[in-house]
Amino acid sequence: HDSRKKSRKQQAALALAALGVVYGDIGTSPLYTMKEVFAGIHPIPLVPENILGILSLILWSLIVVVSIKYVVFIMRADNRGEGGIMALIALALHTVQDKPHHGKWIMIVGVLGAAMFYGDGMVTPAISVLSAVEGLEVGAPALHSFIIPITIVVLFGLFFVQKSGTAVVGAFFGPVMLVWFSVLALLGIHSIIDHPEILMALNPLYGFEFLLANKAMSLVAMGNVVLAVTGAEALYADMGHFGRKPISRAWFAFVLPALVLNYMGQGAAILADPAVADNPFYRSAPDWALYPLIGLATLATVIASQAVISGAFSVARQSVQMGLLPRMQIVHTSGHEEGQIYVPFTNWSLYLAVVALVIGFRSSSNLAAAYGIAVTGTMLIDTILVAFVMVLMWKWHWSVVAAIAGFFLAVDVAFFAANAIKIPEGGWFPIAMGLVSFTVLTTWRRGRRLVSLEMAKQSIPMDDFITAIDGVHRINGTAVFMTSSKEGVPPALLHNLKHNQVLHERVVLVTVQTADTPHINDFDRIYLHRMGKGFMRLIVRYGFMESPDIPAVLDQCKHLGERFDMMETTFYLSRETIVPSMTRRMTQLRARLFSLLTKNATSASDFFQIPTNRVVELGTQLVI
């Protein structure tokens, strides 16, 4: 009984923490969703039938997309507890290990999803914080000119504190969002009491009637309705931090009711006075509560942005581990929580993009056009990837998968098509950023594959090399050669022997591999093969959520009978200089991009946490 009671307390604590991290994005959608529908670039006429129809579409989108698609189905596709686009790619790839052609297409679709996630990550902080600060002009129109400067200052503060980690700030996330969702519910109840007829919108028939009666207008409306479900993918992405049960319980018990009540309340306020449609969230609040509400909304949007930024850090690290991005500096901001990291390049790249969006679009209404396309694209790709998992991993009958995935695909395609018409008005931005990200990810992956092929051509078999070194002078100590291939002689070893004419008495060839699981236990991490004459090959495996630490691995080798003294160990690394060739294995432009990425990659010594005073780098020129 005590253990069950303790478990319930832990689940409640995790559910509270999930409120702050998981639901920040979707929880701040009421700030702008109804406003964009009825007072955006393409406003829907303010008649009771339209208000009830739009509300019905919003409420049932929350139920179908979030409750059924993500909570019931997609969150079942966990990769040893981890979720998110990269975990889903790894899971889908695992199901087609013996089918390289299928794996290629899964990787392309998955990389496109990751690229769209970066586009989404740029728009979320911009539209969230900007929509909160815009509340100032509701109470004081004269403050309009200060909205953008205040937004930029708030965003700078948010990105600046990232290097300190989220541990301290994170302790406040859950309680603040608990207050936020409580306020959402109270604001909704306040307006619903005066106009209880708004509850009729719970009937999905009002949504269907709106779509049938307004065929042309419905496409525009659906493009704004999708704003209500932005952030749904966070439920899956953050599953590894909190677990499936706490996230789903927080959704059904607290978040969904609060969102439904608030949207209903905004609809009731518009029914009572169509003039409030220009900002129904703030105008449905009592006058005395306006400025405290603006402060709370700004804090909530900062938290929502924090969740997206943390997600971008995680995706960046996973992309590096899976060979989709060059090595980057990754700072661990907590000695206890392995998932709390800071990636400087990703952080400041995002900040510059967010500021450019705020200055370029100047209002949340303009940004709304840019928002939906990235979100719907990511959701569409999630559905495609999970369909692979349903068929190949869960072994569901194809007819069942066709019915379930087909239904969700129809919803996703409808939302995506509705947002496609907004491409000229701003939807082009996340698509452009997605294409840039996709080009970088695929260029690096293709380039590294060509480098591996070229190095394999230049390599000689290890057995032949060991046979041929009789008579070579051996010196005391250990030489560790980092190599991406688990076969053949590393180029750095050949260059060292050629120039120095000596070999260490113990030579270790270390290859780091990334598994398709988030973590690897210590028992499965190391494979040691002794090849004779002091040579040994060490295969080290890491999960895609882990950071390599070569000195720590060498220390673990004492269980296998090999002890390493760092003061007697020298690490040899190969630094490749990429020269574009005249062949068509890679276009000149992509080859130059790959060369640029290679030059700016974090040094292998930093990435593998090797002491810099024990490192020797040897250059190699490769033509690709």
Side-chain angles (χ1 to χ4, degrees):
H1 176 74
D2 289 340
S3 63
R4 285 200 300 269
K5 189 175 180 180
K6 185 178 180 182
S7 177
R8 283 197 295 268
K9 286 183 177 179
Q10 290 173 339
Q11 293 285 313
L14 284 170
L16 177 63
L19 280 181
V21 177
V22 178
Y23 294 111
D25 191 356
I26 199 168
T28 51
S29 294
L31 282 166
Y32 45 79
T33 301
M34 292 287 281
K35 181 178 74 170
E36 294 314 313
V37 173
F38 294 109
I41 297 175
H42 301 290
I44 302 299
L46 288 163
V47 296
E49 294 80 9
N50 289 352
I51 296 169
L52 289 171
I54 290 294
L55 263 181
S56 181
L57 289 171
I58 288 174
L59 302 182
W60 284 95
S61 293
L62 288 170
I63 292 169
V64 171
V65 174
V66 186
S67 302
I68 300 177
K69 176 184 169 181
Y70 276 94
V71 176
V72 175
F73 287 101
I74 290 187
M75 286 178 68
R76 285 170 54 93
D78 67 296
N79 192 334
R80 297 195 182 182
E82 291 292 340
I85 186 70
M86 288 299 173
L88 192 55
I89 293 172
L91 200 62
L93 287 173
H94 182 74
T95 64
V96 292
Q97 287 180 338
D98 56 340
K99 300 174 182 176
H101 182 70
H102 290 175
K104 176 185 176 182
W105 284 106
I106 287 174
M107 179 59 76
I108 290 173
V109 171
V111 168
L112 188 58
M116 295 300 284
F117 173 84
Y118 282 119
D120 181 21
M122 294 171 186
V123 183
T124 297
I127 190 172
S128 298
V129 177
L130 189 55
S131 61
V133 178
E134 281 175 345
L136 290 171
E137 63 181 343
V138 173
L143 294 176
H144 175 77
S145 59
F146 293 95
I147 289 173
I148 290 178
I150 292 172
T151 300
I152 292 174
V153 170
V154 170
L155 287 168
F156 176 78
L158 171 64
F159 282 90
F160 183 76
V161 299
Q162 293 302 314
K163 62 182 179 182
S164 304
T166 58
V168 177
V169 185
F172 298 98
F173 283 8
V176 168
M177 294 308 291
L178 182 65
V179 173
W180 171 252
F181 284 113
S182 300
V183 169
L184 287 184
L186 290 172
L187 285 174
I189 293 170
H190 171 73
S191 298
I192 292 170
I193 289 172
D194 294 332
H195 292 276
E197 66 271 18
I198 199 70
L199 294 174
M200 292 189 298
L202 289 169
N203 186 342
L205 289 177
Y206 283 97
F208 284 118
E209 287 174 0
F210 173 82
L211 294 176
L212 293 173
N214 305 277
K215 291 184 175 62
M217 193 193 306
S218 61
L219 198 61
V220 175
M222 290 296 283
N224 289 321
V225 166
V226 76
L227 297 175
V229 295
T230 55
E233 67 279 2
L235 278 73
Y236 181 55
D238 291 312
M239 188 168 60
H241 296 288
F242 304 102
R244 184 184 175 192
K245 284 186 178 179
I247 290 175
S248 58
R249 285 173 180 171
W251 171 253
F252 286 114
F254 198 67
V255 178
L256 179 60
L259 290 173
V260 169
L261 286 170
N262 191 263
Y263 283 120
M264 286 283 193
Q266 290 189 45
I270 296 172
L271 267 181
D273 180 11
V276 307
D278 66 329
N279 203 322
F281 177 80
Y282 284 116
R283 293 195 185 279
S284 63
D287 292 341
W288 60 267
L290 178 61
Y291 290 105
L293 190 58
I294 292 170
L296 179 62
T298 302
L299 199 54
T301 54
V302 166
I303 292 172
S305 303
Q306 173 65 58
V308 173
I309 295 166
S310 299
F313 293 162
S314 295
V315 171
R317 178 173 70 170
Q318 293 170 30
S319 298
V320 171
Q321 290 292 74
M322 293 178 72
L324 294 168
L325 280 177
R327 295 184 300 267
M328 293 184 185
Q329 182 187 3
I330 298 173
V331 181
H332 290 265
T333 58
S334 170
H336 307 288
E337 295 295 329
E338 203 273 334
Q340 291 187 10
I341 57 173
Y342 168 63
V343 185
F345 178 80
T346 302
N347 185 66
W348 293 112
S349 297
L350 269 180
Y351 173 70
L352 292 175
V354 169
V355 170
L357 280 168
V358 171
I359 294 174
F361 285 83
R362 305 194 68 79
S363 76
S364 59
S365 291
N366 294 334
L367 272 170
Y371 201 15
I373 197 80
V375 174
T376 52
T378 304
M379 289 179 175
L380 184 64
I381 288 166
D382 281 347
T383 303
I384 294 170
L385 290 176
V386 87
F388 275 100
V389 175
M390 286 176 178
V391 174
L392 299 171
M393 192 169 187
W394 298 345
K395 306 298 182 183
W396 288 9
H397 194 274
W398 67 267
S399 60
V400 176
V401 175
I404 296 172
F407 172 70
F408 291 139
L409 273 174
V411 174
D412 292 335
V413 169
F415 278 135
F416 188 80
N419 280 276
I421 63 174
K422 298 193 292 185
I423 289 175
E425 298 159 1
W428 58 268
F429 182 85
I431 291 177
M433 292 299 99
L435 286 174
V436 170
S437 301
F438 183 79
T439 302
V440 170
L441 292 167
T442 53
T443 297
W444 181 257
R445 182 175 173 81
R446 172 67 175 161
R448 288 309 304 172
R449 182 170 295 173
L450 292 176
V451 165
S452 297
L453 290 172
E454 191 62 31
M455 292 179 72
K457 286 181 184 177
Q458 299 179 13
S459 180
I460 61 174
M462 199 68 212
D463 292 341
D464 294 348
F465 179 79
I466 293 174
T467 303
I469 61 170
D470 290 334
V472 175
H473 183 61
R474 308 293 287 263
I475 59 175
N476 293 333
T478 300
V480 176
F481 291 87
M482 302 298 298
T483 171
S484 59
S485 175
K486 58 182 181 180
E487 297 177 355
V489 182
L493 175 54
L494 292 173
H495 286 299
N496 179 58
L497 179 60
K498 178 181 177 181
H499 292 292
N500 297 321
Q501 304 294 312
V502 295
L503 287 172
H504 287 73
E505 62 180 356
R506 184 167 60 166
V507 179
V508 185
L509 313 181
V510 178
T511 299
V512 175
Q513 296 181 328
T514 301
D516 56 10
T517 54
H519 302 279
I520 296 292
N521 61 53
D522 288 341
F523 181 78
D524 296 325
R525 190 174 304 283
I526 302 171
Y527 169 76
L528 181 67
H529 172 54
R530 294 178 177 88
M531 297 178 285
K533 294 186 181 180
F535 284 81
M536 61 188 72
R537 190 178 293 279
L538 187 65
I539 309 294
V540 186
R541 300 174 72 237
Y542 284 97
F544 59 79
M545 293 287 288
E546 298 178 302
S547 297
D549 187 341
I550 298 305
V553 163
L554 294 180
D555 185 58
Q556 290 176 18
C557 288
K558 62 189 177 187
H559 302 299
L560 302 175
E562 298 291 341
R563 294 184 178 274
F564 294 89
D565 181 351
M566 284 297 109
M567 298 307 295
E568 295 181 0
T569 303
T570 304
F571 294 85
Y572 289 86
L573 306 177
S574 176
R575 179 174 286 274
E576 299 101 2
T577 300
I578 306 301
V579 179
S581 71
M582 298 307 292
T583 63
R584 286 297 174 186
R585 290 191 296 176
M586 181 181 273
T587 63
Q588 286 286 311
L589 189 61
R590 293 186 75 188
R592 293 183 187 280
L593 173 60
F594 178 71
S595 178
L596 181 66
L597 292 171
T598 302
K599 290 176 183 176
N600 288 279
T602 299
S603 68
S605 58
D606 289 340
F607 184 75
F608 293 117
Q609 303 184 50
I610 301 170
T612 53
N613 61 345
R614 307 302 307 167
V615 172
V616 174
E617 285 196 353
L618 298 167
T620 304
Q621 191 174 79
L622 292 174
V623 179
I624 65 167

